[in-house]
Amino acid sequence: MRIPAVRLEQGERLLRSPWWRGSAALLAGALPALAFPAPALWWFAYVALVPWLLLIRSAGTGRRAALDGWLGGTGYLIAVHNWLLPSLHVFLVILAAFLGLLWAPWGLLVSRLLGGSPSVARFAVALIVIPSGWLMIELARSWDALGGPWGLLGASQWQVPVALRVASVGGVWLVSLLVVAVNITVTLLLVTSAARTAAAAGIVVGALAVGAIWRWAPQPEPAGAARIAVVQPGVVEGSNSVELRFARSEQLTRTLAGRQLDLVVWGESSVGEDLSQHPDLADRIAKVSREVGADVLVNMDARQAHASGRTGIFKSAVLVGPDGPTGDRYDKMRLVPFGEYIPARSVLGWVTSLGKAAGEDRLRGTRQVLMSVPERPSPVYFSGSRGGAESLRIGPLICFESAFPDMSRRLVQDGAQVLIAQSSTSTFQHSWAPAQHASLGALRAAETGRPMVHATLTGISTVYDAQGRRIGTPLGTDTSAAAVFDVPLATGSTLYVRLGDWPAQGALGVLAGFCAYEGARSLRRRSSAEPVGAAAPAARL
């Protein structure tokens, strides 16, 4: 018995050291990254926050709790975005430390509700309020200027059928709420016996809620299918890599002749010139379109003259048919901070000297676009299988726009039958990035009840059905190939499409109510103390 006691005393001594405690907070915050691809230990997400929560609970002071929250948030962001280190170097640490401040109030919240010897009622409140606080952090950093919604905790559950069903009701936000609530429950089970009552009640309520969602949540109904091909040229290097990649994409597309396709999709930046200024390239794509009997969705990353009069580098999804560009074009709206533009370049332009930050800002599109892919007169395998529809309606997204739930939701509300994300993570080829990015398609599909095609230049290219289940075999990062997927279409509307981000709104209401209660309680304490303070001067008189 003496050895464990000695070790416990040593551990407490280490935690009293600011340096050791700070290191522990950084490490504890980084642990949830293991739940995301590529490790993909999805089950670990349900306990990954427990060490961090226990550490904050032992803080002793509000200042220490806020610091533990900040350092843990910094560790979380560095770990989830570790693949950015070769591009941003030390600036990634600076960014993570800045955004990690979002977790400082959360640390105070955890300390307030889990610290000391709280009652069963306070533990029950913690099961609702602490996850709500976490969700506000995710919502705040989902603003694209702060990096966008990459690494949301709920996104780690992309391959769990039950979690995908939950996402169809409340999006990734509801999944995050439940994951944090489970972590709170496990933490409660490890503290006092009084807390275990609240934990047991939380388990029962959570199980009933998830069971009800699984049983009664509306699900998409089958509505025919479409045959869509993805062309992934793979890694192409050299001074003329743009032209070599284009030629490789042409070659791979030609191998699809006779496959009776509805659509061919190329990845992000598959075309390096403005097709309107280079008719020779447009003619080459139109030619392969005629050969395979299907339109080709390409992606231009080039200096272009926009219809609004702006001239600069746009990233644009362009639909090309047998007669050339059809006129359907979507310009990327949400750009990658530092990768495609430098926020406040006049102040932060020096970042370009540290790594591979954008040397010139890309320009943003102004609206989302729904594209129509007509059925061709030539025999098509799935002809007539779309319920008599004359065209396939596709909703294009570019690069990390697939991380934004609201964008895919808007496209489906506008009538998209298939969501298509064109991506390129070739800069991060041998990191966790390709797998993390590809996994987002499962969530967007489950949220909207529409299939999702994730097409890349160098992998991972994959397709998900309307419930977020993977279709066929993905094209890995070591593959240069064209693959055909029979994509089942669906009708109907999920609750998330109908109701939107209601979990975030509910979490905001919970926090507002909690703050109002705490404020009123503080005022009552002050008012009850005032007579005592006022009597002293009177007595001296």
Side-chain angles (χ1 to χ4, degrees):
M1 293 296 292
R2 291 181 59 190
I3 294 177
V6 170
R7 290 178 178 174
L8 181 61
E9 183 179 344
Q10 291 175 340
E12 291 176 349
R13 190 181 303 117
L14 287 176
L15 288 181
R16 284 195 294 270
S17 164
W19 292 105
W20 280 105
R21 189 180 182 94
S23 299
L26 280 167
L27 178 60
L31 288 177
L34 297 175
F36 294 88
L41 304 176
W42 63 266
W43 51 269
F44 186 59
Y46 295 95
V47 295
L49 297 179
V50 173
W52 190 6
L53 291 166
L54 290 174
L55 184 68
I56 296 174
R57 183 176 183 271
S58 68
T61 66
R63 180 178 179 181
R64 185 69 243 185
L67 186 59
D68 289 342
W70 172 46
L71 291 174
T74 301
Y76 180 86
L77 292 173
I78 292 174
V80 171
H81 298 85
N82 68 83
W83 42 272
L84 282 172
L85 277 169
S87 296
L88 295 181
H89 304 302
V90 70
F91 193 66
L92 174 62
V93 179
I94 297 173
L95 280 175
F98 172 68
L99 293 175
L101 289 169
L102 292 169
W103 275 270
W106 187 74
L108 288 170
L109 195 63
V110 171
S111 177
R112 171 72 181 84
L113 292 172
L114 297 184
S117 300
S119 64
V120 175
R122 200 207 299 179
F123 277 127
V125 171
L127 280 171
I128 302 172
V129 175
I130 294 176
S132 296
W134 180 281
L135 197 59
M136 287 301 98
I137 297 170
E138 292 198 335
L139 194 66
R141 71 184 188 87
S142 292
W143 183 32
D144 58 314
L146 291 181
W150 194 282
L152 301 183
L153 192 57
S156 65
Q157 305 304 294
W158 67 278
Q159 55 187 329
V160 182
V162 174
L164 293 173
R165 185 70 64 88
V166 170
S168 74
V169 173
V172 67
W173 316 112
L174 186 57
V175 182
S176 285
L177 274 175
L178 291 176
V179 171
V180 178
V182 172
N183 277 273
I184 300 295
T185 302
V186 174
T187 304
L188 295 180
L189 291 171
L190 294 176
V191 283
T192 67
S193 57
R196 290 168 192 155
T197 303
I203 291 172
V204 172
V205 172
L208 290 174
V210 172
I213 289 173
W214 182 265
R215 176 67 179 83
W216 288 296
Q219 289 298 291
E221 297 293 333
R227 175 164 279 189
I228 298 176
V230 172
V231 173
Q232 180 177 297
V235 177
V236 179
E237 298 177 333
S239 57
N240 59 338
S241 60
V242 175
E243 172 55 32
L244 290 175
R245 184 167 59 236
F246 187 98
R248 179 61 176 159
S249 298
E250 275 184 299
Q251 179 187 6
L252 290 172
T253 304
R254 287 195 175 94
T255 66
L256 299 170
R259 300 293 297 273
Q260 301 171 316
L261 302 172
D262 288 315
L263 180 67
V264 178
V265 184
W266 291 9
E268 180 188 9
S269 304
S270 50
V271 179
E273 303 288 350
D274 182 0
L275 292 180
S276 65
Q277 300 299 316
H278 292 266
D280 56 321
L281 296 181
D283 289 342
R284 288 168 64 180
I285 302 172
K287 183 178 179 182
V288 295
S289 172
R290 291 191 295 271
E291 292 177 12
V292 300
D295 286 4
V296 183
L297 184 68
V298 302
N299 188 276
M300 299 189 306
D301 185 357
R303 190 171 301 280
Q304 307 169 44
H306 196 265
S308 65
R310 294 179 296 159
T311 300
I313 300 176
F314 289 88
K315 286 198 172 184
S316 307
V318 177
L319 192 63
V320 181
D323 301 321
T326 65
D328 284 332
R329 164 177 163 166
Y330 166 65
D331 300 314
K332 186 177 183 181
M333 296 172 61
R334 294 181 182 172
L335 304 177
V336 180
F338 301 100
E340 293 171 339
Y341 78 104
I342 304 295
R345 181 177 287 272
S346 60
V347 177
L348 299 176
W350 55 270
V351 177
T352 57
S353 64
L354 294 179
K356 301 176 182 178
E360 178 182 349
D361 291 351
R362 268 57 174 173
L363 299 184
R364 299 174 184 268
T366 57
R367 63 184 182 89
Q368 290 188 260
V369 174
L370 198 66
M371 298 182 180
S372 295
V373 181
E375 287 191 336
R376 298 299 170 193
S378 57
V380 178
Y381 180 76
F382 282 104
S383 178
S385 63
R386 303 185 210 136
E390 294 182 356
S391 62
L392 178 69
R393 299 184 300 278
I394 62 173
L397 299 164
I398 301 174
C399 190
F400 94 140
E401 288 182 333
S402 65
F404 292 85
D406 65 302
M407 296 193 74
S408 54
R409 176 173 172 258
R410 173 62 61 85
L411 287 169
V412 171
Q413 287 178 324
D414 290 343
Q417 295 171 287
V418 180
L419 298 170
I420 297 181
Q422 295 172 299
S423 173
S424 171
T425 50
S426 53
T427 304
F428 316 104
Q429 189 72 355
H430 303 293
S431 71
W432 294 359
Q436 283 188 21
H437 201 175
S439 70
L440 295 174
L443 287 157
R444 302 294 86 84
E447 287 170 344
T448 60
R450 296 295 181 270
M452 178 77 156
V453 176
H454 182 78
T456 73
L457 290 181
T458 58
I460 299 170
S461 297
T462 189
V463 179
Y464 301 94
D465 70 8
Q467 293 178 316
R469 299 172 299 195
R470 180 170 274 164
I471 299 172
T473 303
L475 299 177
T477 54
D478 58 348
T479 303
S480 174
V484 177
F485 298 89
D486 293 335
V487 182
L489 304 180
T491 59
S493 181
T494 64
L495 288 178
Y496 177 68
V497 170
R498 298 178 201 171
L499 303 178
D501 300 327
W502 64 267
Q505 298 162 1
L508 182 60
V510 166
L511 289 175
F514 177 75
C515 291
Y517 171 79
E518 288 293 304
R521 186 180 180 188
S522 178
L523 288 174
R524 284 198 302 269
R525 285 177 177 174
R526 289 183 182 180
S527 62
S528 62
E530 281 179 359
V532 176
R540 287 196 294 268
L541 289 173

